[in-house]
Amino acid sequence: MTENAQQQPPAPDSELPTQYAPADVEGPLYERWVERGYFEADAKSDKPAYTIVIPPPNVTGSLHLGHAFQHTLMDALTRRKRMQGHEALWLPGMDHAGIATQNKVEQQLAEEGKSRHDLGREEFVERVWQWKEEYGGKILGQMRRLGDGVDWSRERFTMDEGLSKAVQTIFKKLYDDELIYRAERIINWCPRCLTAISDIEVEYQEDDGELVSIKYGEGDETLVVATTRAETMLGDTAVAVHPDDERYKHLVGKRIKLPLTDRSIPVVADTHVDPEFGTGAVKVTPAHDPNDFAIGQRQGLESITVMDERGVITAHGPFQGLDRFEARSAIVAALRSQGRIVAEKRPYVHSVGHCSRCKTTIEPRLSMQWWVKVGPLAKAAGDAVRDGRVKIHPEDMSKRYFDWVDNMHDWCISRQLWWGHRIPVWYGPDGEVVCVGPDEEPPAGEGWHQDTDVLDTWFSSGLWPFSTLGWPEQTEDLRKFYSTDVLLTGHDIIFFWVARMMMFGLYAMDGEVPFKTIALTGLVRDERGKKMSKSFGNVVDPLDWMDKYGSDAVRFTLARGANPGTDVPIGEDWVQASRNFANKIWNATRFALMNGATVEGPLPDPEQLSATDRWILSRLDKTVAEVDAFYDDFQFAKLSDALYHFAWDEVFDWYVELSKTTFQAGGAAAEASKRVLGEVLDVTLKLLHPVVPFVTDTLWTTLTGGESVVVAEWPKGSGFRDEAAEREIETLQSVITEVRRFRADQGLQPGQRVPARLTLDGTALAPHEAAIRNLLRLQPEGDSFTATATLPVAGAEVALDLSGTIDVPAERKRLAKDLAAAEKEKAQATAKLGNEAFLAKAPENVVDKIRTRLAKAEEDIARITAQLDRLPQA
């Protein structure tokens, strides 16, 4: 049932310090694990593979609670599989994070009074690489601090040589298959970063703006449109109404005057327009709005760009050269002076997109960009889940996945940056376009030049599950570790990262899925369930908590809150409680070692074991099965809770305490219990190890003399069950709990000894008299014993002599006073709840409070009455 010291070298320390000090243990212990190669996976191994690729953190990033949360869960999965005999690979790495990293270096240059244009492209990119070497990857050291059991020998970076080859290979393949194309479309544009950005890089917030209603046309041929972006009217090329809107049928097909310009624009009918919203007429600016662009495509409208890449108005006239927001005010003022403003609403709170990097307001903009035609790729990604090749956990998250992949728009993959994978397309002097693969020479000669754009960061991270294993080369790693087993990530990026990996993995690997299971987690929130934000002042640096309480405490707190797909509240009090749990494990193991707990030799036969020993072994086997089932279902909160209550409540609070009596008595029973205690601790520490690796490894090596619990065998379960022993000990627990409750009710101190007579004959409790007396501080009855209180429990009887410990008349008087107060409270609450007039007028929350008071009063009356019944008559 255990792994013992026969196969392992002796532990470095045979004794444990009196107190656990995480700061002294964690750093050196982690380095020992790495030096011994515990986390390195062998592609030549005959063991079954188990692979997790880490969602690559940004090279600019540092460990936040979201990282710590997901890394804890991934580490737990990998550590368990390694202990179960799998060749477990958890592959680490970082994302080059195009915009974020370029911004960092541009800020650094700005402090020197320079811009990237002062350096030029090549020198700037070299400067970014220097920044990456000096400042990037801070998070990797913090991952070590958390205890991440990743294979550092396989660390990858999305801009390293191998991954760059993978990017160029798949671009060329997609291009040749006509799944990549170049076209002019509306994109999210950041006027500060001067690049297109993806949807995930747009943050929406409620901003105070203005809604103005503007009269277009003259006389009977007028329409009123409303807008929050008046400056875009300079680029209007139509007004649209619904085809069935009778109010405007006479105007469809006619042209009306566009205010402030010398142009007239048509009135078009389009089903996109909601006739019930506003006036039922909308201005159409195809070059500056995605919906308007679609209308323009259907209606054959011209697209007129009226502002440049920095958001400055370029349209000819008095507003030319104004910033977009200056132009907005100037245009509204000009319209007002002409009597064209029908209505103004200010402030008008509405949702506005901002660049997640620099917080600049996003400008929808018509731009020539590179796109991925996602139709066939997205269909394959949907089919892989529908036919069961990929499981989404929890299953109810599948709908969100299908909503995305079934309605995916073509993906804009080009970015107007210098840092990133440059698009491998060359343009010739006569309009030639050549896409170049990684093993091909680019065209040379006068007039040839490479596209200046780079690829969206998500393009390279979408290749992560197979590019990190050596693709496009057919490497041993790729053959052994692809497809990966689990992708564990937040539900917030299911649309952006998960879907892209599915599309690219299925496409590049001939239909083989990139991962077998997508395990989606929630987001970490504060203890009140509020989103963590710098503006709220509730952001926590997990390193601060690690310094204060240890990494194990942070990990256990996060795992204990991890219910699949739901957000995770966390507060410092909970981390402190987890630290207390680590201390409890430490102290209980010290007690066991001081009392001779051992893993040497086989367990005694069941008939040689006491009911207490058989009870804990039966509960241990059930716990192993329960924990395994929870792991397989990604129920981290439930498995952590099961381990917490088994370890603390059953092992440390009950079995260890019950064993003290046995150890004091000595003999064969004590020797058997020492072996059982060693077995229970051995298995319990192994079960706890994936979540709390540091304290468990320190204790397990000391207990067993084994090399490390990291490479120990995961408990398989003994199959030993003893329901009769479980019932017997449950009865014993109920007796001890009931008498403890009575002692507390009488105001007795926990250590205060009380004379008692136990009548246990004929019950299952008879063998446990010594343990009952020991745990309840009950001394023998003696010649002068007088039973002043008798407790019938579980078929037995416990008679107590309280004459020398409490003043019975005073206690009865105190309880009678408390009973009268509770009965008065009950009467008042009952009267209010019986008053129909009160119930008709009182708010529901007030009525609920009175119902709660009534329930509490009834509970107090029952409790006090029971206490009085147990006391002797005065």
Side-chain angles (χ1 to χ4, degrees):
M1 293 176 70
T2 189
E3 238 175 70
N4 58 47
Q6 294 174 6
Q7 300 173 336
Q8 308 285 4
D13 300 301
S14 58
E15 294 184 0
L16 293 170
T18 55
Q19 290 185 322
Y20 178 50
D24 297 339
V25 169
E26 292 176 350
L29 183 53
Y30 185 84
E31 292 309 315
R32 193 182 313 152
W33 292 336
V34 173
E35 287 165 9
R36 292 178 178 177
Y38 292 157
F39 307 138
E40 292 181 16
D42 182 3
K44 295 184 174 68
S45 167
D46 293 332
K47 297 178 182 178
Y50 182 82
T51 315
I52 292 182
V53 289
I54 201 167
N58 286 354
V59 67
T60 60
S62 59
L63 189 75
H64 57 63
L65 272 176
H67 289 129
F69 170 55
Q70 292 183 356
H71 288 207
T72 294
L73 305 187
M74 285 184 278
D75 196 31
L77 289 172
T78 313
R79 285 176 181 268
R80 172 175 173 258
K81 285 295 183 181
R82 187 178 292 115
M83 295 172 74
Q84 285 182 317
H86 287 72
E87 196 63 43
L89 170 61
W90 185 20
L91 196 149
M94 292 184 299
D95 192 288
H96 65 279
I99 294 178
T101 309
Q102 180 156 320
N103 279 350
K104 287 277 188 185
V105 179
E106 288 198 76
Q107 289 165 13
Q108 198 178 61
L109 286 173
E111 293 171 4
E112 302 170 13
K114 297 177 183 177
S115 76
R116 60 178 162 132
H117 300 285
D118 294 323
L119 274 63
R121 184 168 193 141
E122 283 191 26
E123 192 176 340
F124 176 78
V125 170
E126 179 59 32
R127 180 72 174 259
V128 180
W129 278 108
Q130 290 172 10
W131 182 92
K132 185 257 182 188
E133 293 304 316
E134 187 171 354
Y135 300 105
K138 174 183 177 184
I139 193 171
L140 298 179
Q142 295 168 340
M143 287 163 55
R144 301 171 89 94
R145 179 75 191 284
L146 185 66
D148 283 9
V150 296
D151 185 345
W152 292 110
S153 70
R154 285 178 167 86
E155 180 192 334
R156 302 306 298 266
F157 179 54
T158 51
M159 288 281 286
D160 69 28
E161 184 178 352
L163 268 64
S164 295
K165 182 177 182 180
V167 167
Q168 198 171 349
T169 300
I170 201 163
F171 188 100
K172 169 73 170 172
K173 182 173 169 58
L174 288 162
Y175 182 88
D176 289 346
D177 288 345
E178 298 183 350
L179 292 172
I180 281 184
Y181 64 95
R182 194 169 184 239
E184 197 173 38
R185 300 276 181 82
I186 291 285
I187 43 86
N188 301 310
W189 182 265
C190 176
R192 153 63 182 76
C193 297
L194 299 180
T195 182
I197 64 174
S198 66
D199 291 338
I200 198 173
E201 293 163 323
V202 179
E203 291 179 349
Y204 288 90
Q205 64 184 49
E206 298 296 308
D207 284 359
D208 287 346
E210 59 179 348
L211 180 69
V212 292
S213 298
I214 308 167
K215 182 174 68 176
Y216 283 23
E218 303 290 349
D220 293 335
E221 297 182 352
T222 62
L223 287 165
V224 175
V225 300
T227 182
T228 58
R229 299 165 66 216
E231 69 279 7
T232 63
M233 69 166 292
L234 301 175
D236 286 358
T237 56
V239 173
V241 298
H242 194 276
D244 300 331
D245 195 331
E246 294 294 336
R247 294 171 296 175
Y248 304 122
K249 277 196 171 181
H250 68 290
L251 291 177
V252 173
K254 294 187 176 181
R255 299 183 74 85
I256 60 174
K257 181 76 167 57
L258 178 64
L260 305 182
T261 73
D262 57 2
R263 292 191 291 117
S264 65
I265 57 177
V267 178
V268 299
D270 196 279
T271 54
H272 170 77
V273 180
D274 181 359
E276 303 297 323
F277 184 77
T279 64
V282 297
K283 59 190 286 296
V284 182
T285 322
H288 293 279
D289 183 273
N291 293 321
D292 293 3
F293 178 77
I295 293 174
Q297 293 284 291
R298 287 192 294 271
Q299 302 292 336
L301 301 175
E302 183 184 5
S303 295
I304 301 175
T305 300
V306 298
M307 65 182 79
D308 68 12
E309 60 185 10
R310 296 183 183 276
V312 175
I313 300 298
T314 57
H316 183 69
F319 311 108
Q320 188 174 10
L322 293 180
D323 171 80
R324 53 185 168 155
F325 300 119
E326 295 172 336
R328 182 177 300 174
S329 300
I331 286 170
V332 171
L335 290 167
R336 193 183 298 115
S337 69
Q338 294 183 8
R340 294 273 177 186
I341 300 295
V342 176
E344 296 181 67
K345 186 173 183 181
R346 191 184 295 110
Y348 178 71
V349 179
H350 62 134
S351 181
V352 178
H354 294 259
C355 174
S356 63
R357 305 299 175 190
C358 66
K359 312 308 176 188
T360 300
T361 300
I362 289 302
E363 193 63 46
R365 185 169 189 262
L366 187 61
S367 179
M368 182 67 76
Q369 302 285 345
W370 285 94
W371 304 81
V372 171
K373 187 185 294 182
V374 300
L377 302 174
K379 182 182 184 304
D383 290 346
V385 175
R386 286 190 170 94
D387 64 24
R389 283 176 289 154
V390 177
K391 305 288 186 187
I392 292 181
H393 189 87
E395 192 176 351
D396 58 11
M397 285 281 182
S398 297
K399 183 180 182 302
R400 296 180 64 183
Y401 176 79
F402 292 133
D403 286 346
W404 179 253
V405 298
D406 293 348
N407 300 286
M408 194 182 295
H409 301 296
D410 283 1
W411 170 22
C412 175
I413 56 172
S414 45
R415 298 290 179 267
Q416 290 64 55
L417 302 171
W418 287 355
W419 172 245
H421 295 101
R422 195 161 171 182
I423 288 176
V425 171
W426 270 254
Y427 305 105
D430 298 317
E432 303 96 331
V433 178
V434 177
C435 180
V436 177
D439 300 319
E440 299 171 353
E441 287 294 325
E446 187 175 349
W448 283 93
H449 64 280
Q450 187 177 358
D451 196 301
T452 57
D453 288 353
V454 300
L455 288 163
D456 178 12
T457 296
W458 295 101
F459 190 93
S460 50
S461 59
L463 315 183
W464 193 251
F466 53 94
S467 64
T468 52
L469 297 173
W471 186 90
E473 307 302 328
Q474 293 303 307
T475 64
E476 285 186 327
D477 276 3
L478 195 63
R479 286 191 290 270
K480 177 74 174 179
F481 297 111
Y482 190 91
S483 61
T484 70
D485 289 85
V486 178
L487 173 73
L488 190 143
T489 191
H491 62 66
D492 55 325
I493 60 172
I494 186 173
F495 314 129
F496 307 106
W497 189 46
V498 178
R500 281 150 173 68
M501 285 190 292
M502 283 286 282
M503 291 191 302
F504 281 168
L506 290 161
Y507 174 75
M509 298 299 293
D510 299 320
E512 192 174 356
V513 297
F515 22 75
K516 301 176 184 75
T517 300
I518 302 169
L520 296 170
T521 69
L523 309 178
V524 179
R525 296 181 177 271
D526 72 11
E527 63 267 34
R528 297 178 181 85
K530 194 173 183 179
K531 180 181 177 181
M532 287 193 174
S533 165
K534 290 179 182 177
S535 60
F536 296 153
N538 62 349
V539 173
V540 173
D541 184 345
L543 296 167
D544 292 341
W545 281 351
M546 289 183 210
D547 289 341
K548 198 170 183 181
Y549 304 111
S551 297
D552 282 337
V554 174
R555 290 171 61 113
F556 191 72
T557 305
L558 290 164
R560 207 173 176 195
N563 289 298
T566 59
D567 290 347
V568 183
I570 184 172
E572 187 168 2
D573 288 351
W574 306 339
V575 184
Q576 187 172 351
S578 295
R579 188 271 315 273
N580 295 345
F581 179 51
N583 288 342
K584 185 79 171 180
I585 301 169
W586 185 270
N587 292 332
T589 306
R590 284 190 74 246
F591 166 84
L593 290 168
M594 289 188 292
N595 284 275
T598 180
V599 297
E600 295 286 354
L603 279 170
D605 292 334
E607 56 270 18
Q608 296 177 288
L609 298 176
S610 67
T612 306
D613 291 333
R614 286 182 278 113
W615 160 72
I616 198 63
L617 289 174
S618 184
R619 288 294 307 127
L620 177 66
D621 190 65
K622 287 182 178 178
T623 301
V624 170
E626 192 175 27
V627 168
D628 276 334
F630 286 143
Y631 261 116
D632 292 342
D633 199 34
F634 303 99
Q635 297 281 359
F636 295 98
K638 290 181 178 178
L639 73 88
S640 299
D641 215 46
L643 284 170
Y644 176 88
H645 288 295
F646 175 71
W648 192 308
D649 300 345
E650 297 185 271
V651 179
F652 305 149
D653 276 0
W654 282 109
Y655 183 70
V656 166
E657 290 301 316
L658 289 168
S659 296
K660 287 179 180 177
T661 305
T662 308
F663 292 153
Q664 289 166 3
E671 292 306 310
S673 289
K674 289 175 184 178
R675 180 64 189 87
V676 170
L677 179 54
E679 177 73 19
V680 171
L681 284 175
D682 171 31
V683 174
T684 302
L685 291 170
K686 288 176 181 175
L687 293 175
L688 283 165
H689 172 72
V691 179
V692 283
F694 294 106
V695 68
T696 51
D697 195 40
T698 305
L699 295 174
W700 187 86
T701 52
T702 306
L703 172 72
T704 68
E707 179 186 345
S708 173
V709 73
V710 177
V711 290
E713 184 179 347
W714 181 257
K716 291 186 175 68
S718 63
F720 179 83
R721 301 289 174 94
D722 192 327
E723 301 297 337
E726 289 194 44
R727 287 193 298 272
E728 182 174 327
I729 301 304
E730 284 169 9
T731 302
L732 174 61
Q733 290 170 328
S734 68
V735 170
I736 292 170
T737 301
E738 183 64 25
V739 177
R740 279 176 173 168
R741 185 181 296 119
F742 176 76
R743 286 175 57 107
D745 287 343
Q746 306 311 313
L748 297 176
Q749 294 300 313
Q752 190 172 353
R753 294 199 166 274
V754 177
R757 180 173 61 236
L758 306 184
T759 306
L760 308 176
D761 292 344
T763 73
L765 298 172
H768 301 287
E769 179 169 352
I772 293 172
R773 287 190 177 277
N774 188 39
L775 290 176
L776 291 172
R777 305 294 190 268
L778 303 179
Q779 61 192 41
E781 50 201 88
D783 296 336
S784 59
F785 178 83
T786 303
T788 59
T790 302
L791 284 75
V793 282
E797 186 176 272
V798 178
L800 305 174
D801 183 353
L802 304 178
S803 57
T805 55
I806 62 172
D807 184 337
V808 174
E811 184 63 13
R812 292 192 71 88
K813 185 176 180 181
R814 182 185 70 79
L815 290 171
K817 183 179 178 181
D818 291 346
L819 181 61
E823 288 173 336
K824 181 179 179 181
E825 175 73 2
K826 177 184 176 182
Q828 290 175 343
T830 302
K832 283 191 175 182
L833 293 173
N835 185 335
E836 295 295 334
F838 169 76
L839 293 175
K841 294 179 181 178
E844 186 61 31
N845 66 317
V846 172
V847 176
D848 285 343
K849 285 182 180 178
I850 294 171
R851 290 194 183 106
T852 301
R853 282 170 47 196
L854 175 60
K856 176 69 165 56
E858 289 174 337
E859 184 182 306
D860 288 344
I861 290 168
R863 175 179 55 80
I864 297 166
T865 302
Q867 289 178 244
L868 283 167
D869 289 345
R870 288 170 177 161
L871 284 174
Q873 295 299 316

